[in-house]
Structures are given as structure tokens and as C-alpha cells.
Amino acid sequence: MSDTGARTFEELIAEAEAASVDGWDFSWLDGRATEERPDWGYARLLADRLSRATAALDLQTGGGEVLAEALTAGPARPSLTVATESWPPNIARATGLLHPLGVALVADPDEPPLPFADAAFDLVVSRHPVRAWWDEIARVLRPGGTYLSQEVGPASVFELVEYFLGAMPPEIRSGRDPDRAAKEAEAAGLDVIDLRTAALRTEFRDIGAVVYFLRKVIWMVPGFTVERYRDRLLELHRRIASDGPFVATTTRFLIEAVKPA
């Protein structure tokens, strides 16, 4: 564990502000924050599905870390693997990581239409997509093809969000509902064969971890800056020092769907 207990508020803040938030690697938080993982093991499932695919598409790949891990862990790889990403720092990171593995990286705005032909892939995957465009997913899947995704669930880490923003309205808290996702997949012509949910304990052990997390996951507290929320950050720093880690609940759901043959 990092020794942050004796460090001042200003030192922890400065370190977190200076840290790079490119890509989707959270190793900077080792020893400073913890998050339980879903028991289904998305990376393991992804490696298995990739080993049986001939043409695969990873939507919104981030920095490419999860896809790279799955490709190197599996017993075989698809003949063709393509990934998309919209954020320029992630595009550069994913290109460097995935090109040596034979993956083509396509810069895409994450909005329809996808820049691929109908029925181009027998496997489409996505980990924590901002939004799943179900009609496009169904369009680029071949008959008999599979879509596999782990998504952020409703009100995820909202204890932290609401600490800064106040109580969220019910329509926001109920967003990203797994049952709604399943209905949208079915409306696009897919058959949902697996739907699982998980509520997972998350701990932030120092204020630097909070700042880093909110800088990296920018949609949690839109417009977050240290200066804008300095008073609330200082209050939370003192609370962690006196009471221990700030605890929140992370929600996730796994959805797997197939396109009828």
C-alpha cells in the first residue's frame, strides 16, 4: 500500500493532478483505491470468445489494454481484429499497444453509423461503452455472430458523484439499466442469451485517488477541476483521515447476445 497517511492535502492533490490519465490503465491507484471485480471475469470471457472468432470488432477500446490482454491470453486469435476509439490520447496509446498484435485501430466518433460493411464480423465486443448503438451492432454482425459486453450499471459510484453534485434525480439514477439494454438489443433483432449484474465495493483511501479517478472518468462529475471543488475535496480529505476510506458501490452488468442465423 502507498504510504499516504502522513502526506498533506496539497501534496496528494499535486501528485494526482500531475499524473497522466491517458488510456484505461488504473494501476496508478494501486494501494490507494480498491474495487471488487465481477465474478464472471470479463477478460477471461473475452479471451475465450476471441479464440473462437474469425473476424472481431472491439468498440470503444479505450487505450486497448483489455483487448491486448485478452488477445495474448487466449489460445488463438481471430484472422482479423479491428478496434475503434474516439479520444485522441487513447487513439495514440491503443495504436502503439494493438498494432504489434495485428489489430487495426480505427478513429471513430462513437456515433452511428459504424464505418464497416454489413455482416463484417462474427464477434463484436465492448467494455464499458459510453453507449451501445444496438442497430449498428446488429448490422455489422454476421448471422450467428455474438455481441459480448461489460457495461457500467445504474448509479455506479454515485456516493462519490452525489458528494460533489448533490442528490441525482431518479431518471439519472436509473440510467444504464440492464433490463432496458436487453430490450433494446432484442428490438434490434438480437437474442439475449446472458444478462448478469453485480454490485461491488469500492474504496478511496486518500484524496489523491479521488482526484485521479475524477480526472480519468470525466463523465462522473462533469467539468471537475481541483480549483472548482477545492473546499469539498479538503472536507473529504479530512473525513478520510479521521474515518477511513470513502466507500462507494460500483455497479456492472454483463450482456451477451447473438444474431439469429
Side-chain angles (χ1 to χ4, degrees):
M1 182 186 297
S2 300
D3 182 15
T4 60
R7 301 176 63 189
T8 68
F9 172 75
E10 296 296 343
E11 288 171 337
L12 293 169
I13 291 290
E15 183 183 21
E17 284 196 295
S20 171
V21 291
D22 292 349
W24 210 238
D25 176 9
F26 285 81
S27 60
W28 190 89
L29 291 173
D30 288 352
R32 312 179 73 144
T34 60
E35 179 186 279
E36 286 184 297
R37 299 298 183 191
D39 60 8
W40 53 72
Y42 177 77
R44 175 181 53 81
L45 293 176
L46 177 58
D48 173 72
R49 303 305 186 272
L50 287 168
S51 71
R52 294 187 271 135
T54 57
L57 170 63
D58 183 23
L59 297 172
Q60 303 175 39
T61 194
E65 298 90 350
V66 177
L67 178 59
E69 176 187 351
L71 286 170
T72 54
R77 300 180 187 176
S79 301
L80 170 68
T81 306
V82 181
T84 70
E85 178 55 34
S86 62
W87 194 40
N90 277 351
I91 291 170
R93 185 180 182 91
T95 298
L97 189 61
L98 295 175
H99 273 197
L101 299 175
V103 179
L105 196 286
V106 177
D108 180 74
D110 293 339
E111 294 181 357
L114 289 170
F116 307 109
D118 295 357
F121 303 97
D122 58 349
L123 176 67
V124 178
V125 299
S126 190
R127 181 179 181 272
H128 301 177
V130 177
R131 178 172 176 178
W133 300 99
W134 290 106
D135 288 340
E136 283 297 285
I137 291 166
R139 181 182 66 80
V140 301
L141 269 176
R142 295 172 183 168
T146 296
Y147 176 72
L148 176 71
S149 179
Q150 177 178 291
E151 293 205 26
V152 175
S156 187
V157 200
F158 263 37
E159 295 90 345
L160 186 64
V161 171
E162 294 183 332
Y163 174 82
F164 290 98
L165 300 181
M168 294 288 102
E171 62 270 21
I172 298 297
R173 292 190 64 86
S174 62
R176 308 190 70 88
D177 178 72
D179 292 328
R180 185 181 305 137
K183 291 177 181 177
E184 291 174 352
E186 291 167 349
L190 303 178
D191 294 332
V192 175
I193 61 171
D194 196 0
L195 184 66
R196 300 184 235 174
T197 62
L200 310 158
R201 181 183 176 91
T202 298
E203 294 185 358
F204 296 91
R205 297 175 178 172
D206 70 71
I207 200 62
V210 172
V211 170
Y212 179 86
F213 178 80
L214 294 178
R215 289 183 60 228
K216 195 175 187 75
V217 191
I218 57 176
W219 53 87
M220 300 301 292
V221 179
F224 172 82
T225 65
V226 168
E227 287 309 310
R228 183 175 183 180
Y229 291 101
R230 180 172 290 274
D231 290 346
R232 292 294 281 164
L233 288 166
L234 180 57
E235 181 182 333
L236 184 54
H237 168 70
R238 292 169 175 164
R239 173 175 162 181
I240 292 172
S242 64
D243 300 339
F246 182 92
V247 178
T249 302
T250 295
T251 61
R252 298 285 184 262
F253 68 89
L254 181 81
I255 184 167
E256 187 168 15
V258 298
K259 185 173 182 176

